[in-house]
Coordinates of all heavy atoms in Angstrom, one line a residue:
A1 N -78.4 -126.1 108.0 CA -79.3 -125.7 109.0 C -80.1 -126.9 109.5 O -80.3 -127.9 108.7 CB -80.2 -124.6 108.5
P2 N -80.6 -126.9 110.7 CA -81.5 -127.9 111.1 C -82.8 -128.0 110.3 O -83.2 -126.9 109.8 CB -81.9 -127.6 112.6 CG -81.1 -126.4 112.9 CD -80.4 -125.9 111.7
I3 N -83.3 -129.1 110.0 CA -84.5 -129.3 109.2 C -85.7 -128.9 110.1 O -86.2 -129.6 110.9 CB -84.7 -130.7 108.7 CG1 -83.5 -131.0 107.8 CG2 -86.0 -130.8 107.9 CD1 -83.4 -132.5 107.3
D4 N -86.2 -127.6 109.8 CA -87.3 -127.1 110.6 C -88.1 -126.2 109.6 O -87.5 -125.3 109.0 CB -86.8 -126.2 111.7 CG -87.9 -125.6 112.5 OD1 -89.1 -125.9 112.3 OD2 -87.6 -124.7 113.4
P5 N -89.3 -126.5 109.3 CA -90.1 -125.8 108.3 C -90.4 -124.3 108.6 O -90.6 -123.5 107.8 CB -91.4 -126.6 108.2 CG -91.5 -127.3 109.4 CD -90.1 -127.6 109.9
T6 N -90.3 -123.9 109.9 CA -90.6 -122.6 110.3 C -89.7 -121.5 109.6 O -90.2 -120.6 109.1 CB -90.6 -122.4 111.8 OG1 -91.4 -123.5 112.4 CG2 -91.1 -121.1 112.3
P7 N -88.4 -121.7 109.6 CA -87.6 -120.6 109.0 C -87.8 -120.5 107.5 O -87.7 -119.3 107.0 CB -86.1 -121.1 109.2 CG -86.2 -122.1 110.3 CD -87.6 -122.7 110.3
V8 N -88.3 -121.5 106.8 CA -88.5 -121.4 105.4 C -89.6 -120.3 105.1 O -89.6 -119.6 104.2 CB -88.9 -122.7 104.8 CG1 -89.4 -122.6 103.3 CG2 -87.8 -123.7 104.9
H9 N -90.6 -120.3 106.0 CA -91.7 -119.3 105.8 C -91.2 -117.9 105.9 O -91.8 -117.0 105.3 CB -92.8 -119.6 106.9 CG -93.5 -120.9 106.7 ND1 -94.3 -121.2 105.7 CD2 -93.4 -122.0 107.5 CE1 -94.8 -122.4 105.8 NE2 -94.2 -123.0 106.9
H10 N -90.1 -117.7 106.7 CA -89.6 -116.3 106.8 C -88.7 -115.9 105.6 O -88.5 -114.8 105.3 CB -88.8 -116.2 108.1 CG -89.6 -116.4 109.3 ND1 -90.6 -115.6 109.7 CD2 -89.5 -117.4 110.2 CE1 -91.1 -116.1 110.8 NE2 -90.5 -117.2 111.2
V11 N -88.3 -116.9 104.8 CA -87.4 -116.7 103.7 C -88.1 -116.6 102.4 O -87.8 -115.8 101.5 CB -86.3 -117.8 103.7 CG1 -85.4 -117.6 102.5 CG2 -85.5 -117.8 104.9
L12 N -89.2 -117.4 102.2 CA -89.9 -117.4 101.0 C -91.2 -116.6 101.0 O -91.8 -116.5 102.0 CB -90.2 -118.9 100.6 CG -89.1 -119.9 100.5 CD1 -89.6 -121.3 100.3 CD2 -88.1 -119.5 99.5
N13 N -91.5 -116.0 99.8 CA -92.7 -115.3 99.7 C -93.9 -116.3 99.4 O -93.6 -117.5 99.2 CB -92.7 -114.1 98.7 CG -92.4 -114.6 97.3 OD1 -92.9 -115.7 96.9 ND2 -91.6 -113.9 96.5
D14 N -95.1 -115.8 99.3 CA -96.3 -116.7 99.1 C -96.1 -117.4 97.8 O -96.4 -118.6 97.7 CB -97.6 -115.9 99.1 CG -97.9 -115.4 100.5 OD1 -97.4 -115.9 101.5 OD2 -98.7 -114.4 100.6
L15 N -95.7 -116.8 96.7 CA -95.6 -117.4 95.4 C -94.6 -118.6 95.5 O -94.8 -119.7 95.0 CB -95.2 -116.4 94.3 CG -94.9 -117.0 92.9 CD1 -96.2 -117.7 92.4 CD2 -94.4 -116.0 92.0
E16 N -93.4 -118.3 96.1 CA -92.4 -119.3 96.3 C -92.9 -120.4 97.2 O -92.6 -121.6 96.9 CB -91.1 -118.7 96.9 CG -90.5 -117.7 95.9 CD -89.4 -116.8 96.6 OE1 -89.5 -116.5 97.8 OE2 -88.5 -116.3 95.9
M17 N -93.6 -120.1 98.2 CA -94.1 -121.2 99.1 C -95.1 -122.1 98.3 O -95.1 -123.3 98.5 CB -94.8 -120.6 100.3 CG -93.8 -120.1 101.4 SD -92.7 -121.4 102.0 CE -93.8 -122.6 102.7
N18 N -95.9 -121.5 97.5 CA -96.9 -122.2 96.7 C -96.2 -123.1 95.7 O -96.6 -124.3 95.5 CB -97.9 -121.3 96.0 CG -98.9 -120.7 96.9 OD1 -99.2 -121.3 98.0 ND2 -99.4 -119.6 96.6
R19 N -95.1 -122.6 95.1 CA -94.3 -123.5 94.2 C -93.6 -124.6 94.9 O -93.5 -125.7 94.4 CB -93.3 -122.6 93.4 CG -94.0 -121.7 92.4 CD -93.2 -121.3 91.3 NE -93.9 -120.5 90.3 CZ -93.4 -119.6 89.6 NH1 -92.2 -119.2 89.7 NH2 -94.2 -119.0 88.7
M20 N -93.1 -124.3 96.1 CA -92.5 -125.4 96.9 C -93.6 -126.5 97.2 O -93.3 -127.7 97.2 CB -91.9 -124.9 98.2 CG -90.6 -124.1 98.0 SD -89.3 -125.1 97.4 CE -89.0 -126.2 98.8
K21 N -94.8 -126.1 97.6 CA -95.8 -127.0 97.9 C -96.2 -127.8 96.6 O -96.4 -129.1 96.7 CB -97.1 -126.3 98.4 CG -96.9 -125.8 99.8 CD -98.1 -125.0 100.2 CE -97.9 -124.4 101.6 NZ -99.0 -123.5 102.0
E22 N -96.2 -127.2 95.5 CA -96.5 -127.8 94.2 C -95.5 -128.9 93.9 O -95.8 -130.0 93.6 CB -96.6 -126.8 93.1 CG -96.8 -127.5 91.7 CD -96.7 -126.5 90.6 OE1 -96.4 -125.3 90.8 OE2 -96.7 -126.9 89.4
L23 N -94.2 -128.5 94.1 CA -93.1 -129.5 93.9 C -93.2 -130.7 94.8 O -93.1 -131.8 94.5 CB -91.8 -128.9 94.0 CG -91.4 -127.8 93.0 CD1 -90.0 -127.2 93.3 CD2 -91.3 -128.5 91.6
G24 N -93.5 -130.4 96.1 CA -93.6 -131.4 97.1 C -94.7 -132.4 96.8 O -94.6 -133.6 96.8
H25 N -95.9 -131.9 96.3 CA -97.0 -132.7 96.0 C -96.7 -133.6 94.7 O -97.0 -134.7 94.7 CB -98.3 -131.9 95.7 CG -98.9 -131.3 97.0 ND1 -99.2 -132.0 98.1 CD2 -99.1 -130.0 97.3 CE1 -99.7 -131.2 99.0 NE2 -99.6 -129.9 98.5
A26 N -96.1 -132.9 93.8 CA -95.7 -133.7 92.5 C -94.8 -134.8 92.8 O -95.0 -135.9 92.4 CB -95.1 -132.7 91.5
F27 N -93.7 -134.5 93.6 CA -92.7 -135.6 93.9 C -93.3 -136.6 94.8 O -93.0 -137.8 94.6 CB -91.5 -135.0 94.5 CG -90.5 -134.4 93.5 CD1 -90.5 -133.0 93.3 CD2 -89.7 -135.2 92.8 CE1 -89.7 -132.4 92.4 CE2 -88.8 -134.6 91.9 CZ -88.8 -133.2 91.6
V28 N -94.1 -136.2 95.8 CA -94.7 -137.2 96.7 C -95.6 -138.2 95.9 O -95.6 -139.4 96.1 CB -95.4 -136.5 97.9 CG1 -96.3 -137.5 98.6 CG2 -94.4 -135.9 98.8
A29 N -96.4 -137.6 95.1 CA -97.4 -138.4 94.3 C -96.6 -139.4 93.4 O -97.0 -140.6 93.3 CB -98.3 -137.5 93.4
A30 N -95.5 -139.0 92.8 CA -94.8 -139.9 91.9 C -94.0 -140.9 92.7 O -93.8 -142.0 92.3 CB -93.9 -139.1 91.0
M31 N -93.5 -140.5 93.9 CA -92.6 -141.4 94.6 C -93.4 -142.2 95.6 O -92.8 -143.1 96.3 CB -91.6 -140.6 95.4 CG -90.7 -139.8 94.5 SD -89.8 -140.8 93.3 CE -89.3 -139.6 92.1
G32 N -94.7 -142.0 95.7 CA -95.5 -142.8 96.6 C -95.5 -144.3 96.3 O -95.6 -145.1 97.2

């Protein structure tokens, strides 16, 4: 699928979105 963050919000619940954000922050901090 095209990379568009909007559809992800429709697929994931709040807990899953929070975990995705946590992963994103962890990886970005380490890969910075």
Side-chain angles (χ1 to χ4, degrees):
I3 300 175
D4 179 8
T6 309
V8 173
H9 295 288
H10 298 297
V11 176
L12 303 178
N13 63 36
D14 289 340
L15 176 61
E16 293 166 334
M17 282 303 297
N18 287 335
R19 288 201 174 151
M20 287 295 294
K21 288 177 186 175
E22 177 189 356
L23 291 177
H25 291 302
F27 279 99
V28 166
M31 299 304 160

